[in-house]
Amino acid sequence: MLKITRCRICKNTNLFNFLQLGPTPIPNGFLDSRQIHEAEKFYRLDVLFCNKCSLVQLSQIIPPKIMFQNYAYIPSTSKTMQSHFFTLAKKLVEKANLKKGNLVIDIGSNDGTLLKYFKKFGMEVLGIDPSENLAKAANHEGINTEIAMFTKKLAQRIKTERRQVKLITATNVLAHINDLDDFFEGIEILLSREGIFVGEFPYLPDLIEKTEFDTIYHEHLSYFSATAINYLLRLKRLFFREVERLPIHGGSLRVTFCKTNGKQDPGIAKLINFESIKGIKSPETYIAFSKKVSGLRYQLTKFLRDTRIKGSRIVGYGASAKGNIMLNYCRIGTDVLDYIADSIPFKHYKFTPGMHIPIFPEKTLYQDKPDYILLLAWNFADEIMEKLKGNFKHNYKIILTSPSFKII
Ligand code: DWN
């Protein structure tokens, strides 16, 4: 496993290690009944702050081959994500002035959910994703997908074989990129002069504000603010053109970059100023955040322990990567949660990494009568609670950890 010694953006070597989530298994590494009896790999999760460009980043890098083989994040399984991607595709066809047959490239295309909508709007599409299982599924659905990490070299080949493109998207990918220089040199090669790059990623001020520490895991190498992105772009031949805050995934930022300097969205300067006021450039902010994380762990584990002592039953809902970070950091096992219900067949009858909690189909929960449900996929709280209302006649309470710890 590699360890960084300098900031991914500005190469500063003076990095402040403000949070240690402890040895943690890869959160998407679900285990079958044989694997839970085998040795498991745990990796440190130390979080660093760069006081020069304000990038928050992980100190350790797990090889993508290990992280993304049999990747378990499948956006098409959620109506929230499908609606989000439909709206995004519709908006970008107009914004990028796309004509039928134009090529759209999605980096980190996953199961092709976003590209399917561009295809419906008449575009030619190309996905790029290192996860063989998901890329195969996308190709099977007619979404042409290269099984690869996006690199400058790949960009050069695509430009030679095809042409430069008017639109490149990358949703929930930038955080996963170790070599940001190579990535953006690839964007510069592939993007046409009038083209736009649109990226989305979890937004650091939201993560801090809502104590979303469980979104800190091995595949998310960087935790971006507009301040850090702005610093990065000033080092590249790309221009920060637009910014937009989004509610998705607990709070995200949508950014638009271009190759030509043009009218910059005044929202960018406003957001950078907002971040400065929120202390995004100050180490004290991260020290306070680290204390909030410990406080949340105490609140949650005390409640769970007291509730179990009273004889109540608790189950989990949403076997998500973030859920596995929460479970491992708080040491929540089958002594607390009888099982976790989840909608993804790939995860059914498997076990969570580290704490080995069994995962069952949602219908198991609907036929059961637990007293409490710990919502481990809080980013889909509305969708899941709607589902529970429709399928669950029994009296129960929901335990939420974000945007704050509460019982509803
Ligand atoms: O960056 C990333 C963000 C977007 O989240 C990815 N790298 C990884 C991903 O992590 P995740 O595993 O936390 O993803 P999800 O999609 O937030 O996990 C949600 C889990 O909840 C899934 O396993 C599906 C499940 N679910 C369910 O059981 N019933 C979801 C919905 C909407 C439901 O109704």
Side-chain angles (χ1 to χ4, degrees):
M1 181 160 63
L2 292 174
K3 192 169 162 24
I4 60 162
T5 55
R6 54 190 200 152
C7 174
R8 279 187 180 82
I9 288 183
C10 68
K11 316 308 177 204
N12 171 18
T13 54
N14 174 22
L15 299 173
F16 169 41
N17 184 343
F18 66 89
L19 178 65
Q20 303 79 39
L21 293 177
T24 309
I26 292 179
N28 267 315
F30 295 93
L31 306 171
D32 63 31
S33 50
R34 181 179 43 80
Q35 290 167 313
I36 55 172
H37 302 297
E38 294 170 1
E40 225 176 324
K41 280 193 180 307
F42 285 66
Y43 302 92
R44 289 175 65 112
L45 260 182
D46 287 7
V47 198
L48 313 178
F49 165 67
C50 172
N51 59 11
K52 192 171 168 199
C53 71
S54 302
L55 181 68
V56 170
Q57 55 206 301
L58 295 191
S59 65
Q60 323 272 332
I61 303 147
I62 298 175
K65 196 106 188 90
I66 296 176
M67 198 116 67
F68 298 114
Q69 64 188 11
N70 289 327
Y71 193 51
Y73 170 53
I74 308 171
S76 60
T77 54
S78 128
K79 291 198 185 76
T80 309
M81 288 314 294
Q82 289 181 21
S83 149
H84 175 78
F85 282 146
F86 169 75
T87 311
L88 177 60
K90 193 162 183 293
K91 178 174 183 167
L92 293 185
V93 167
E94 192 187 332
K95 189 186 173 76
N97 189 24
L98 297 181
K99 302 285 179 276
K100 284 205 185 313
N102 280 171
L103 177 62
V104 175
I105 292 180
D106 185 31
I107 300 171
S109 51
N110 198 284
D111 60 352
T113 304
L114 174 59
L115 288 176
K116 275 176 207 153
Y117 293 118
F118 279 115
K119 199 168 176 183
K120 279 201 177 110
F121 290 125
M123 303 309 138
E124 192 190 336
V125 297
L126 173 64
I128 299 168
D129 198 290
S131 303
E132 203 161 325
N133 59 316
L134 293 169
K136 277 186 179 155
N139 279 310
H140 182 70
E141 299 268 310
I143 302 299
N144 186 13
T145 304
E146 290 243 8
I147 304 174
M149 291 289 283
F150 179 75
T151 60
K152 184 177 168 184
K153 192 162 169 263
L154 177 61
Q156 195 56 60
R157 176 167 69 76
I158 297 172
K159 180 187 170 186
T160 313
E161 286 172 1
R162 291 166 173 262
R163 54 193 179 283
Q164 286 185 316
V165 290
K166 292 166 74 173
L167 177 62
I168 301 174
T169 52
T171 61
N172 291 302
V173 177
L174 287 186
H176 303 62
I177 303 301
N178 181 37
D179 187 340
L180 290 165
D181 297 322
D182 180 78
F183 182 90
F184 281 106
E185 281 156 28
I187 298 296
E188 287 166 30
I189 288 168
L190 207 42
L191 201 57
S192 66
R193 187 165 163 66
E194 74 287 352
I196 61 172
F197 167 89
V198 179
E200 289 181 1
F201 46 76
Y203 183 44
L204 179 63
D206 282 320
L207 187 158
I208 293 169
E209 178 76 22
K210 295 181 262 184
T211 323
E212 296 167 349
F213 78 91
D214 48 350
T215 62
I216 296 174
Y217 41 92
H218 310 89
E219 63 188 70
H220 297 162
L221 298 173
S222 300
Y223 301 82
F224 291 107
S225 56
T227 303
I229 286 286
N230 193 46
Y231 195 108
L232 172 65
L233 289 184
R234 290 205 332 245
L235 302 174
K236 303 291 161 215
R237 289 192 295 278
L238 289 166
F239 295 91
F240 200 173
R241 187 64 69 79
E242 281 182 34
V243 75
E244 181 185 353
R245 290 185 71 173
L246 305 166
I248 198 83
H249 290 305
S252 297
L253 201 62
R254 177 179 293 155
V255 293
T256 302
F257 305 158
C258 301
K259 287 175 84 166
T260 53
N261 200 351
K263 187 172 169 306
Q264 188 180 72
D265 167 3
I268 293 171
K270 276 194 201 124
L271 198 58
I272 290 170
N273 184 49
F274 159 78
E275 290 173 358
S276 181
I277 294 164
K278 296 296 275 184
I280 213 77
K281 295 190 277 194
S282 145
E284 287 69 24
T285 303
Y286 302 95
I287 293 168
F289 174 70
S290 178
K291 286 182 183 140
K292 270 174 70 181
V293 173
S294 309
L296 176 56
R297 171 168 60 178
Y298 173 78
Q299 266 189 306
L300 175 62
T301 50
K302 182 175 184 314
F303 174 81
L304 294 173
R305 193 176 46 246
D306 294 351
T307 302
R308 286 296 291 205
I309 288 167
K310 283 182 209 147
S312 299
R313 284 190 53 229
I314 313 170
V315 300
Y317 197 127
S320 58
K322 56 178 76 66
N324 291 325
I325 296 296
M326 179 69 75
L327 296 172
N328 278 283
Y329 177 67
C330 298
R331 310 303 303 151
I332 297 168
T334 47
D335 56 328
V336 174
L337 298 185
D338 294 348
Y339 59 86
I340 297 171
D342 193 281
S343 62
I344 298 184
F346 165 82
K347 299 181 182 179
H348 292 166
Y349 309 108
K350 286 199 170 84
F351 297 81
T352 61
M355 300 311 293
H356 300 175
I357 298 175
I359 302 163
F360 295 138
E362 289 170 310
K363 65 177 185 318
T364 305
L365 171 63
Y366 302 148
Q367 292 150 7
D368 192 3
K369 293 186 172 27
D371 304 297
Y372 289 89
I373 298 173
L374 173 60
L375 193 49
L376 293 164
W378 43 257
N379 50 320
F380 296 130
D382 295 347
E383 182 175 350
I384 289 176
M385 288 200 262
E386 207 47 47
K387 218 185 237 185
L388 283 169
K389 271 197 205 111
N391 289 285
F392 208 40
K393 306 305 167 220
H394 167 66
N395 273 337
Y396 62 93
K397 289 202 168 103
I398 295 233
I399 306 164
L400 275 175
T401 56
S402 178
S404 60
F405 172 74
K406 62 182 168 198
I407 312 298
I408 47 177

